[in-house]
Every structure is written in C-alpha cells, then in structure tokens.
C-alpha cells in the first residue's frame, strides 16, 4: 500500500478553506469516481483502492491518502494532481 501525505499551510478563514477543499474533492470525484462526505472539519473519501481524508484546520490542511496495490502505481500522478488542485483553490 502506498500513502500520500501532504501538509499545506493556508491563510484563508476556515469556512473559505473548507469550500476550497470541497471544490477540489468534487473535481477529483468527477475524474476518479471517488465518493466523499464531511465529518466536522474533515472530508473523508473512498472508493475501491483509495481511502483517505483532508483535515481542514485554521492554518493548515492535512491530506492523507492510502492507495491499494493497483492504485499504487499511480501515486506520483495522483499526488501531483492533488497538489495542483490545492494550489489552484487556495492561492
């Protein structure tokens, strides 16, 4: 199993940061068919071979994704895509 672990600081109000994360999640869900839902300030997502969360704090986001065996080969591409989308939404 491969793990993606990204921490990203931000200067957005919590509500704005959560809205940005929601936009990222919807975009990724559309591309990869990943279901997601919120549990407080944590967005949880999963599908076959992919499971993780994005925790939204006042000054930091923490993304953790666990990739199953077949998805492990796509780790670099998935990691770049998450970072790119976060950059688009949080800058």
């Amino acid at each position: 199993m491969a793990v993606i672990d990204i921490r990203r600081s931000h200067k957005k109000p919590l509500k704005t940061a959560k809205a940005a994360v929601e936009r990222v999640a919807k975009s990724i869900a559309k591309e990869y068919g990943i279901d997601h839902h919120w549990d407080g300030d944590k967005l949880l997502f999963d599908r076959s071979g992919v499971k993780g969360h994005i925790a939204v704090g006042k000054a930091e986001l923490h993304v953790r994704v666990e990739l199953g065996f077949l998805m492990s080969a796509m780790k670099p591409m998935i990691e770049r895509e998450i970072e790119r989308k976060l950059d688009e939404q949080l800058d």
Side-chain angles (χ1 to χ4, degrees):
M1 172 174 51
V3 174
I4 295 171
D5 193 73
I6 300 169
R7 292 185 184 270
R8 175 79 44 99
S9 61
H10 69 84
K11 295 183 187 301
K12 306 279 186 194
L14 186 61
K15 186 175 179 178
T16 304
K18 285 178 70 172
V21 167
E22 179 69 24
R23 288 190 297 273
V24 169
K26 284 182 178 178
S27 175
I28 291 172
K30 186 176 177 183
E31 289 180 47
Y32 298 102
I34 298 175
D35 294 324
H36 67 279
H37 67 277
W38 287 94
D39 181 10
D41 292 334
K42 187 181 282 190
L43 182 128
L44 307 169
F45 53 89
D46 64 78
R47 69 159 259 191
S48 179
V50 178
K51 177 177 145 180
H53 70 265
I54 303 174
V56 183
K58 292 180 182 178
E60 182 180 72
L61 299 177
H62 178 215
V63 180
R64 180 171 171 84
V65 183
E66 297 175 4
L67 302 172
F69 178 73
L70 295 175
M71 295 296 286
S72 293
M74 298 176 61
K75 179 186 174 189
M77 182 187 74
I78 294 169
E79 191 167 19
R80 278 193 308 272
E81 189 68 9
I82 292 169
E83 289 178 338
R84 184 181 69 78
K85 290 184 182 299
L86 287 173
D87 288 344
E88 285 175 1
Q89 295 299 323
L90 290 171
D91 288 341

